[in-house]
mmCIF file of all heavy atoms in Angstrom:
data_model
loop_
_atom_site.group_PDB
_atom_site.id
_atom_site.type_symbol
_atom_site.label_atom_id
_atom_site.label_comp_id
_atom_site.label_asym_id
_atom_site.label_seq_id
_atom_site.Cartn_x
_atom_site.Cartn_y
_atom_site.Cartn_z
ATOM 1 N N PRO A 90 0.836 -1.215 0.000
ATOM 2 C CA PRO A 90 0.000 0.000 0.000
ATOM 3 C C PRO A 90 0.867 1.259 0.000
ATOM 4 O O PRO A 90 1.950 1.287 0.588
ATOM 5 C CB PRO A 90 -0.810 -0.117 1.293
ATOM 6 C CG PRO A 90 -0.030 -1.038 2.154
ATOM 7 C CD PRO A 90 0.665 -1.984 1.226
ATOM 8 N N LYS A 91 0.378 2.302 -0.701
ATOM 9 C CA LYS A 91 1.137 3.547 -0.816
ATOM 10 C C LYS A 91 1.123 4.309 0.495
ATOM 11 O O LYS A 91 0.137 4.314 1.233
ATOM 12 C CB LYS A 91 0.562 4.424 -1.932
ATOM 13 C CG LYS A 91 0.851 3.870 -3.316
ATOM 14 C CD LYS A 91 0.477 4.863 -4.392
ATOM 15 C CE LYS A 91 0.882 4.323 -5.750
ATOM 16 N NZ LYS A 91 0.581 5.266 -6.835
ATOM 17 N N ASN A 92 2.251 4.983 0.742
ATOM 18 C CA ASN A 92 2.391 5.783 1.953
ATOM 19 C C ASN A 92 2.545 7.250 1.533
ATOM 20 O O ASN A 92 3.546 7.644 0.940
ATOM 21 C CB ASN A 92 3.624 5.307 2.731
ATOM 22 C CG ASN A 92 3.885 6.180 3.943
ATOM 23 O OD1 ASN A 92 2.987 6.826 4.449
ATOM 24 N ND2 ASN A 92 5.121 6.181 4.406
ATOM 25 N N PHE A 93 1.523 8.084 1.820
ATOM 26 C CA PHE A 93 1.525 9.481 1.388
ATOM 27 C C PHE A 93 2.039 10.431 2.461
ATOM 28 O O PHE A 93 1.841 11.642 2.375
ATOM 29 C CB PHE A 93 0.114 9.906 0.956
ATOM 30 C CG PHE A 93 -0.343 9.221 -0.293
ATOM 31 C CD1 PHE A 93 -1.515 8.489 -0.301
ATOM 32 C CD2 PHE A 93 0.406 9.288 -1.455
ATOM 33 C CE1 PHE A 93 -1.938 7.847 -1.448
ATOM 34 C CE2 PHE A 93 -0.011 8.646 -2.612
ATOM 35 C CZ PHE A 93 -1.183 7.926 -2.611
ATOM 36 N N HIS A 94 2.712 9.904 3.502
ATOM 37 C CA HIS A 94 3.302 10.766 4.526
ATOM 38 C C HIS A 94 4.559 11.441 3.967
ATOM 39 O O HIS A 94 5.009 11.133 2.850
ATOM 40 C CB HIS A 94 3.636 9.943 5.781
ATOM 41 C CG HIS A 94 2.418 9.455 6.494
ATOM 42 N ND1 HIS A 94 1.591 10.292 7.210
ATOM 43 C CD2 HIS A 94 1.886 8.212 6.579
ATOM 44 C CE1 HIS A 94 0.591 9.580 7.726
ATOM 45 N NE2 HIS A 94 0.730 8.320 7.360
ATOM 46 N N ILE A 95 5.123 12.372 4.740
ATOM 47 C CA ILE A 95 6.315 13.107 4.298
ATOM 48 C C ILE A 95 7.443 12.120 4.034
ATOM 49 O O ILE A 95 7.754 11.261 4.872
ATOM 50 C CB ILE A 95 6.740 14.134 5.365
ATOM 51 C CG1 ILE A 95 5.649 15.193 5.520
ATOM 52 C CG2 ILE A 95 8.063 14.794 4.981
ATOM 53 C CD1 ILE A 95 5.867 16.147 6.663
ATOM 54 N N GLY A 96 8.051 12.264 2.854
ATOM 55 C CA GLY A 96 9.123 11.361 2.464
ATOM 56 C C GLY A 96 8.640 10.071 1.856
ATOM 57 O O GLY A 96 9.448 9.217 1.493
ATOM 58 N N GLY A 97 7.323 9.922 1.719
ATOM 59 C CA GLY A 97 6.776 8.702 1.163
ATOM 60 C C GLY A 97 6.541 8.812 -0.330
ATOM 61 O O GLY A 97 7.327 9.424 -1.061
ATOM 62 N N ASP A 98 5.432 8.223 -0.772
ATOM 63 C CA ASP A 98 5.123 8.206 -2.206
ATOM 64 C C ASP A 98 4.726 9.605 -2.703
ATOM 65 O O ASP A 98 4.360 10.494 -1.920
ATOM 66 C CB ASP A 98 3.975 7.218 -2.486
ATOM 67 C CG ASP A 98 4.422 5.791 -2.220
ATOM 68 O OD1 ASP A 98 5.431 5.384 -2.788
ATOM 69 O OD2 ASP A 98 3.752 5.103 -1.419
ATOM 70 N N VAL A 99 4.785 9.764 -4.027
ATOM 71 C CA VAL A 99 4.422 11.037 -4.656
ATOM 72 C C VAL A 99 2.920 11.246 -4.527
ATOM 73 O O VAL A 99 2.128 10.344 -4.781
ATOM 74 C CB VAL A 99 4.834 11.041 -6.147
ATOM 75 C CG1 VAL A 99 4.420 12.345 -6.821
ATOM 76 C CG2 VAL A 99 6.329 10.847 -6.278
ATOM 77 N N GLN A 100 2.549 12.459 -4.112
ATOM 78 C CA GLN A 100 1.134 12.771 -3.919
ATOM 79 C C GLN A 100 0.399 12.761 -5.248
ATOM 80 O O GLN A 100 0.947 13.155 -6.281
ATOM 81 C CB GLN A 100 0.988 14.166 -3.292
ATOM 82 C CG GLN A 100 1.524 14.272 -1.871
ATOM 83 C CD GLN A 100 0.554 13.711 -0.852
ATOM 84 O OE1 GLN A 100 -0.627 13.550 -1.128
ATOM 85 N NE2 GLN A 100 1.066 13.395 0.322
ATOM 86 N N PRO A 101 -0.864 12.332 -5.268
ATOM 87 C CA PRO A 101 -1.632 12.378 -6.524
ATOM 88 C C PRO A 101 -1.954 13.819 -6.916
ATOM 89 O O PRO A 101 -2.006 14.712 -6.065
ATOM 90 C CB PRO A 101 -2.914 11.604 -6.171
ATOM 91 C CG PRO A 101 -3.038 11.730 -4.694
ATOM 92 C CD PRO A 101 -1.635 11.778 -4.149
ATOM 93 N N LYS A 102 -2.156 14.042 -8.222
ATOM 94 C CA LYS A 102 -2.476 15.391 -8.692
ATOM 95 C C LYS A 102 -3.885 15.771 -8.278
ATOM 96 O O LYS A 102 -4.820 14.985 -8.434
ATOM 97 C CB LYS A 102 -2.347 15.468 -10.215
ATOM 98 C CG LYS A 102 -0.908 15.430 -10.694
ATOM 99 C CD LYS A 102 -0.813 15.656 -12.189
ATOM 100 C CE LYS A 102 0.644 15.662 -12.625
ATOM 101 N NZ LYS A 102 0.780 15.875 -14.083
ATOM 102 N N ARG A 103 -4.017 16.998 -7.753
ATOM 103 C CA ARG A 103 -5.322 17.501 -7.322
ATOM 104 C C ARG A 103 -5.599 18.837 -7.994
ATOM 105 O O ARG A 103 -4.664 19.559 -8.334
ATOM 106 C CB ARG A 103 -5.356 17.685 -5.806
ATOM 107 C CG ARG A 103 -5.193 16.405 -5.018
ATOM 108 C CD ARG A 103 -5.307 16.680 -3.527
ATOM 109 N NE ARG A 103 -5.175 15.469 -2.741
ATOM 110 C CZ ARG A 103 -4.023 14.994 -2.283
ATOM 111 N NH1 ARG A 103 -2.888 15.616 -2.571
ATOM 112 N NH2 ARG A 103 -3.997 13.897 -1.564
ATOM 113 N N ASP A 104 -6.866 19.161 -8.170
ATOM 114 C CA ASP A 104 -7.264 20.449 -8.747
ATOM 115 C C ASP A 104 -7.239 21.495 -7.637
ATOM 116 O O ASP A 104 -8.097 21.509 -6.754
ATOM 117 C CB ASP A 104 -8.668 20.347 -9.352
ATOM 118 C CG ASP A 104 -9.064 21.640 -10.053
ATOM 119 O OD1 ASP A 104 -8.173 22.487 -10.263
ATOM 120 O OD2 ASP A 104 -10.248 21.803 -10.381
ATOM 121 N N LEU A 105 -6.215 22.362 -7.659
ATOM 122 C CA LEU A 105 -6.032 23.362 -6.607
ATOM 123 C C LEU A 105 -6.471 24.763 -7.068
ATOM 124 O O LEU A 105 -6.027 25.764 -6.516
ATOM 125 C CB LEU A 105 -4.566 23.402 -6.177
ATOM 126 C CG LEU A 105 -4.001 22.082 -5.639
ATOM 127 C CD1 LEU A 105 -2.522 22.217 -5.346
ATOM 128 C CD2 LEU A 105 -4.742 21.655 -4.367
ATOM 129 N N THR A 106 -7.357 24.833 -8.069
ATOM 130 C CA THR A 106 -7.783 26.133 -8.590
ATOM 131 C C THR A 106 -8.448 26.973 -7.509
ATOM 132 O O THR A 106 -8.251 28.186 -7.434
ATOM 133 C CB THR A 106 -8.752 25.921 -9.760
ATOM 134 O OG1 THR A 106 -8.170 24.994 -10.671
ATOM 135 C CG2 THR A 106 -9.033 27.223 -10.477
ATOM 136 N N HIS A 107 -9.264 26.323 -6.656
ATOM 137 C CA HIS A 107 -10.038 27.067 -5.653
ATOM 138 C C HIS A 107 -9.163 27.626 -4.537
ATOM 139 O O HIS A 107 -9.588 28.545 -3.834
ATOM 140 C CB HIS A 107 -11.131 26.177 -5.068
ATOM 141 C CG HIS A 107 -10.602 24.968 -4.332
ATOM 142 N ND1 HIS A 107 -9.995 23.921 -4.986
ATOM 143 C CD2 HIS A 107 -10.594 24.657 -3.009
ATOM 144 C CE1 HIS A 107 -9.635 23.013 -4.092
ATOM 145 N NE2 HIS A 107 -9.981 23.426 -2.887
ATOM 146 N N VAL A 108 -7.944 27.111 -4.355
ATOM 147 C CA VAL A 108 -7.075 27.621 -3.298
ATOM 148 C C VAL A 108 -5.906 28.426 -3.861
ATOM 149 O O VAL A 108 -5.086 28.929 -3.106
ATOM 150 C CB VAL A 108 -6.525 26.476 -2.413
ATOM 151 C CG1 VAL A 108 -7.635 25.792 -1.665
ATOM 152 C CG2 VAL A 108 -5.734 25.476 -3.231
ATOM 153 N N MET A 109 -5.849 28.563 -5.204
ATOM 154 C CA MET A 109 -4.742 29.288 -5.812
ATOM 155 C C MET A 109 -4.947 30.784 -5.677
ATOM 156 O O MET A 109 -6.054 31.285 -5.867
ATOM 157 C CB MET A 109 -4.633 28.923 -7.294
ATOM 158 C CG MET A 109 -3.550 29.674 -8.030
ATOM 159 S SD MET A 109 -3.459 29.186 -9.743
ATOM 160 C CE MET A 109 -2.279 30.359 -10.357
ATOM 161 N N LYS A 110 -3.894 31.514 -5.345
ATOM 162 C CA LYS A 110 -3.974 32.971 -5.285
ATOM 163 C C LYS A 110 -3.577 33.521 -6.654
ATOM 164 O O LYS A 110 -2.413 33.511 -7.023
ATOM 165 C CB LYS A 110 -3.040 33.520 -4.201
ATOM 166 C CG LYS A 110 -3.215 35.021 -4.007
ATOM 167 C CD LYS A 110 -2.463 35.541 -2.811
ATOM 168 C CE LYS A 110 -2.729 37.031 -2.626
ATOM 169 N NZ LYS A 110 -1.996 37.591 -1.488
ATOM 170 N N TRP A 111 -4.582 33.984 -7.402
ATOM 171 C CA TRP A 111 -4.352 34.487 -8.741
ATOM 172 C C TRP A 111 -3.678 35.852 -8.690
ATOM 173 O O TRP A 111 -3.797 36.576 -7.695
ATOM 174 C CB TRP A 111 -5.675 34.599 -9.505
ATOM 175 C CG TRP A 111 -6.298 33.276 -9.784
ATOM 176 C CD1 TRP A 111 -7.211 32.623 -9.014
ATOM 177 C CD2 TRP A 111 -6.033 32.428 -10.889
ATOM 178 N NE1 TRP A 111 -7.544 31.411 -9.571
ATOM 179 C CE2 TRP A 111 -6.838 31.269 -10.727
ATOM 180 C CE3 TRP A 111 -5.211 32.524 -12.008
ATOM 181 C CZ2 TRP A 111 -6.827 30.233 -11.641
ATOM 182 C CZ3 TRP A 111 -5.216 31.485 -12.923
ATOM 183 C CH2 TRP A 111 -6.011 30.353 -12.741
ATOM 184 N N PRO A 112 -2.978 36.248 -9.750
ATOM 185 C CA PRO A 112 -2.370 37.590 -9.778
ATOM 186 C C PRO A 112 -3.432 38.681 -9.640
ATOM 187 O O PRO A 112 -4.601 38.472 -9.959
ATOM 188 C CB PRO A 112 -1.710 37.643 -11.166
ATOM 189 C CG PRO A 112 -1.535 36.232 -11.584
ATOM 190 C CD PRO A 112 -2.628 35.455 -10.934
ATOM 191 N N LYS A 113 -2.984 39.843 -9.179
ATOM 192 C CA LYS A 113 -3.938 40.914 -8.882
ATOM 193 C C LYS A 113 -4.708 41.357 -10.114
ATOM 194 O O LYS A 113 -5.912 41.629 -10.046
ATOM 195 C CB LYS A 113 -3.182 42.102 -8.281
ATOM 196 C CG LYS A 113 -4.116 43.151 -7.683
ATOM 197 C CD LYS A 113 -3.354 44.228 -6.953
ATOM 198 C CE LYS A 113 -4.312 45.229 -6.332
ATOM 199 N NZ LYS A 113 -3.610 46.293 -5.596
ATOM 200 N N TYR A 114 -4.029 41.428 -11.268
ATOM 201 C CA TYR A 114 -4.722 41.910 -12.464
ATOM 202 C C TYR A 114 -5.817 40.939 -12.904
ATOM 203 O O TYR A 114 -6.851 41.337 -13.433
ATOM 204 C CB TYR A 114 -3.716 42.155 -13.605
ATOM 205 C CG TYR A 114 -3.229 40.930 -14.330
ATOM 206 C CD1 TYR A 114 -3.833 40.501 -15.506
ATOM 207 C CD2 TYR A 114 -2.155 40.194 -13.845
ATOM 208 C CE1 TYR A 114 -3.382 39.384 -16.180
ATOM 209 C CE2 TYR A 114 -1.698 39.077 -14.505
ATOM 210 C CZ TYR A 114 -2.315 38.671 -15.674
ATOM 211 O OH TYR A 114 -1.863 37.558 -16.335
ATOM 212 N N VAL A 115 -5.605 39.626 -12.661
ATOM 213 C CA VAL A 115 -6.629 38.637 -12.999
ATOM 214 C C VAL A 115 -7.829 38.792 -12.070
ATOM 215 O O VAL A 115 -8.985 38.758 -12.508
ATOM 216 C CB VAL A 115 -6.052 37.202 -12.911
ATOM 217 C CG1 VAL A 115 -7.144 36.163 -13.117
ATOM 218 C CG2 VAL A 115 -4.951 37.012 -13.930
ATOM 219 N N ARG A 116 -7.552 39.003 -10.768
ATOM 220 C CA ARG A 116 -8.645 39.181 -9.814
ATOM 221 C C ARG A 116 -9.455 40.433 -10.132
ATOM 222 O O ARG A 116 -10.690 40.430 -10.052
ATOM 223 C CB ARG A 116 -8.077 39.267 -8.389
ATOM 224 C CG ARG A 116 -7.732 37.904 -7.805
ATOM 225 C CD ARG A 116 -7.174 38.028 -6.405
ATOM 226 N NE ARG A 116 -5.750 38.369 -6.423
ATOM 227 C CZ ARG A 116 -5.147 39.112 -5.524
ATOM 228 N NH1 ARG A 116 -5.835 39.635 -4.537
ATOM 229 N NH2 ARG A 116 -3.852 39.346 -5.614
ATOM 230 N N LEU A 117 -8.760 41.509 -10.509
ATOM 231 C CA LEU A 117 -9.465 42.753 -10.850
ATOM 232 C C LEU A 117 -10.334 42.573 -12.093
ATOM 233 O O LEU A 117 -11.464 43.074 -12.150
ATOM 234 C CB LEU A 117 -8.458 43.882 -11.084
ATOM 235 C CG LEU A 117 -7.767 44.426 -9.830
ATOM 236 C CD1 LEU A 117 -6.679 45.414 -10.211
ATOM 237 C CD2 LEU A 117 -8.782 45.109 -8.917
ATOM 238 N N GLN A 118 -9.819 41.857 -13.090
ATOM 239 C CA GLN A 118 -10.608 41.597 -14.302
ATOM 240 C C GLN A 118 -11.887 40.838 -13.961
ATOM 241 O O GLN A 118 -12.981 41.186 -14.423
ATOM 242 C CB GLN A 118 -9.791 40.770 -15.292
ATOM 243 C CG GLN A 118 -8.717 41.554 -16.025
ATOM 244 C CD GLN A 118 -7.839 40.657 -16.871
ATOM 245 O OE1 GLN A 118 -7.930 39.439 -16.803
ATOM 246 N NE2 GLN A 118 -6.961 41.258 -17.656
ATOM 247 N N ARG A 119 -11.751 39.806 -13.130
ATOM 248 C CA ARG A 119 -12.912 38.977 -12.799
ATOM 249 C C ARG A 119 -13.909 39.734 -11.931
ATOM 250 O O ARG A 119 -15.126 39.608 -12.111
ATOM 251 C CB ARG A 119 -12.439 37.704 -12.090
ATOM 252 C CG ARG A 119 -11.635 36.800 -13.008
ATOM 253 C CD ARG A 119 -11.120 35.574 -12.307
ATOM 254 N NE ARG A 119 -10.400 34.714 -13.247
ATOM 255 C CZ ARG A 119 -9.816 33.573 -12.909
ATOM 256 N NH1 ARG A 119 -9.854 33.148 -11.649
ATOM 257 N NH2 ARG A 119 -9.189 32.848 -13.810
ATOM 258 N N GLN A 120 -13.405 40.530 -10.992
ATOM 259 C CA GLN A 120 -14.299 41.323 -10.145
ATOM 260 C C GLN A 120 -15.069 42.355 -10.962
ATOM 261 O O GLN A 120 -16.245 42.624 -10.719
ATOM 262 C CB GLN A 120 -13.496 42.020 -9.042
ATOM 263 C CG GLN A 120 -13.007 41.070 -7.956
ATOM 264 C CD GLN A 120 -11.937 41.693 -7.072
ATOM 265 O OE1 GLN A 120 -11.611 42.862 -7.232
ATOM 266 N NE2 GLN A 120 -11.380 40.905 -6.168
ATOM 267 N N LYS A 121 -14.388 42.936 -11.957
ATOM 268 C CA LYS A 121 -15.038 43.927 -12.813
ATOM 269 C C LYS A 121 -16.175 43.295 -13.616
ATOM 270 O O LYS A 121 -17.259 43.884 -13.758
ATOM 271 C CB LYS A 121 -14.005 44.541 -13.759
ATOM 272 C CG LYS A 121 -14.557 45.652 -14.634
ATOM 273 C CD LYS A 121 -13.496 46.183 -15.554
ATOM 274 C CE LYS A 121 -14.074 47.229 -16.500
ATOM 275 N NZ LYS A 121 -13.068 47.712 -17.471
ATOM 276 N N VAL A 122 -15.939 42.081 -14.138
ATOM 277 C CA VAL A 122 -16.977 41.381 -14.897
ATOM 278 C C VAL A 122 -18.188 41.105 -14.015
ATOM 279 O O VAL A 122 -19.347 41.305 -14.420
ATOM 280 C CB VAL A 122 -16.418 40.068 -15.485
ATOM 281 C CG1 VAL A 122 -17.522 39.211 -16.067
ATOM 282 C CG2 VAL A 122 -15.382 40.372 -16.550
ATOM 283 N N VAL A 123 -17.934 40.658 -12.771
ATOM 284 C CA VAL A 123 -19.026 40.344 -11.853
ATOM 285 C C VAL A 123 -19.798 41.610 -11.490
ATOM 286 O O VAL A 123 -21.034 41.620 -11.464
ATOM 287 C CB VAL A 123 -18.483 39.639 -10.589
ATOM 288 C CG1 VAL A 123 -19.572 39.478 -9.557
ATOM 289 C CG2 VAL A 123 -17.901 38.284 -10.947
ATOM 290 N N LEU A 124 -19.066 42.705 -11.226
ATOM 291 C CA LEU A 124 -19.736 43.962 -10.875
ATOM 292 C C LEU A 124 -20.601 44.480 -12.022
ATOM 293 O O LEU A 124 -21.693 44.996 -11.797
ATOM 294 C CB LEU A 124 -18.694 45.024 -10.493
ATOM 295 C CG LEU A 124 -18.147 44.945 -9.070
ATOM 296 C CD1 LEU A 124 -17.063 45.985 -8.881
ATOM 297 C CD2 LEU A 124 -19.251 45.162 -8.046
ATOM 298 N N ASN A 125 -20.109 44.348 -13.245
ATOM 299 C CA ASN A 125 -20.894 44.792 -14.407
ATOM 300 C C ASN A 125 -22.174 43.977 -14.575
ATOM 301 O O ASN A 125 -23.146 44.467 -15.158
ATOM 302 C CB ASN A 125 -20.062 44.703 -15.686
ATOM 303 C CG ASN A 125 -19.069 45.840 -15.801
ATOM 304 O OD1 ASN A 125 -19.272 46.911 -15.227
ATOM 305 N ND2 ASN A 125 -17.986 45.627 -16.523
ATOM 306 N N LYS A 126 -22.174 42.739 -14.082
ATOM 307 C CA LYS A 126 -23.391 41.929 -14.133
ATOM 308 C C LYS A 126 -24.351 42.284 -12.998
ATOM 309 O O LYS A 126 -25.563 42.336 -13.183
ATOM 310 C CB LYS A 126 -23.038 40.440 -14.028
ATOM 311 C CG LYS A 126 -22.416 39.868 -15.283
ATOM 312 C CD LYS A 126 -22.137 38.389 -15.084
ATOM 313 C CE LYS A 126 -21.498 37.778 -16.325
ATOM 314 N NZ LYS A 126 -21.167 36.352 -16.115
ATOM 315 N N ARG A 127 -23.810 42.551 -11.814
ATOM 316 C CA ARG A 127 -24.663 42.753 -10.633
ATOM 317 C C ARG A 127 -25.244 44.176 -10.557
ATOM 318 O O ARG A 127 -26.424 44.352 -10.285
ATOM 319 C CB ARG A 127 -23.857 42.484 -9.354
ATOM 320 C CG ARG A 127 -23.237 41.110 -9.279
ATOM 321 C CD ARG A 127 -24.252 40.027 -8.981
ATOM 322 N NE ARG A 127 -23.597 38.713 -9.017
ATOM 323 C CZ ARG A 127 -23.559 37.914 -10.068
ATOM 324 N NH1 ARG A 127 -24.151 38.280 -11.181
ATOM 325 N NH2 ARG A 127 -22.957 36.745 -10.021
ATOM 326 N N LEU A 128 -24.406 45.183 -10.799
ATOM 327 C CA LEU A 128 -24.855 46.563 -10.659
ATOM 328 C C LEU A 128 -25.642 47.008 -11.878
ATOM 329 O O LEU A 128 -25.549 46.426 -12.955
ATOM 330 C CB LEU A 128 -23.648 47.494 -10.460
ATOM 331 C CG LEU A 128 -22.740 47.192 -9.275
ATOM 332 C CD1 LEU A 128 -21.582 48.166 -9.252
ATOM 333 C CD2 LEU A 128 -23.511 47.283 -7.965
ATOM 334 N N LYS A 129 -26.399 48.086 -11.723
ATOM 335 C CA LYS A 129 -27.099 48.680 -12.859
ATOM 336 C C LYS A 129 -26.092 49.441 -13.712
ATOM 337 O O LYS A 129 -25.355 50.278 -13.203
ATOM 338 C CB LYS A 129 -28.198 49.617 -12.364
ATOM 339 C CG LYS A 129 -29.491 48.908 -11.997
ATOM 340 C CD LYS A 129 -30.597 49.916 -11.790
ATOM 341 C CE LYS A 129 -31.939 49.219 -11.667
ATOM 342 N NZ LYS A 129 -33.035 50.197 -11.543
ATOM 343 N N VAL A 130 -26.089 49.156 -15.010
ATOM 344 C CA VAL A 130 -25.137 49.779 -15.933
ATOM 345 C C VAL A 130 -25.879 50.807 -16.778
ATOM 346 O O VAL A 130 -26.894 50.481 -17.403
ATOM 347 C CB VAL A 130 -24.477 48.720 -16.839
ATOM 348 C CG1 VAL A 130 -23.479 49.363 -17.778
ATOM 349 C CG2 VAL A 130 -23.806 47.646 -15.997
ATOM 350 N N PRO A 131 -25.408 52.066 -16.822
ATOM 351 C CA PRO A 131 -26.089 53.096 -17.617
ATOM 352 C C PRO A 131 -26.110 52.738 -19.100
ATOM 353 O O PRO A 131 -25.233 52.023 -19.602
ATOM 354 C CB PRO A 131 -25.243 54.354 -17.373
ATOM 355 C CG PRO A 131 -24.469 54.073 -16.146
ATOM 356 C CD PRO A 131 -24.251 52.602 -16.095
ATOM 357 N N PRO A 132 -27.100 53.236 -19.836
ATOM 358 C CA PRO A 132 -27.205 52.902 -21.271
ATOM 359 C C PRO A 132 -25.968 53.276 -22.085
ATOM 360 O O PRO A 132 -25.607 52.566 -23.022
ATOM 361 C CB PRO A 132 -28.426 53.718 -21.721
ATOM 362 C CG PRO A 132 -29.227 53.924 -20.493
ATOM 363 C CD PRO A 132 -28.245 54.034 -19.385
#
């Protein structure tokens, strides 16, 4: 059986997108898109 403790077997690949700290410009782009959807936008 595999041992996943420190110094043991290689850890399996996991999707860490939800815990990744994205660069500031990416976060600002995404926040702007969300705000444009939520707030009232003038004609």
Side-chain angles (χ1 to χ4, degrees):
K91 288 189 175 182
N92 175 23
F93 292 123
H94 292 288
I95 295 172
D98 293 306
V99 178
Q100 293 281 342
K102 288 186 178 180
R103 297 183 179 90
D104 184 13
L105 301 176
T106 310
H107 63 290
V108 295
M109 177 179 173
K110 186 171 183 181
W111 293 92
K113 192 173 182 179
Y114 78 95
V115 174
R116 281 180 278 147
L117 288 173
Q118 284 173 352
R119 293 178 178 179
Q120 287 166 4
K121 184 181 176 183
V122 170
V123 172
L124 279 176
N125 283 335
K126 286 181 180 177
R127 303 285 176 265
L128 302 178
K129 277 191 170 183
V130 181

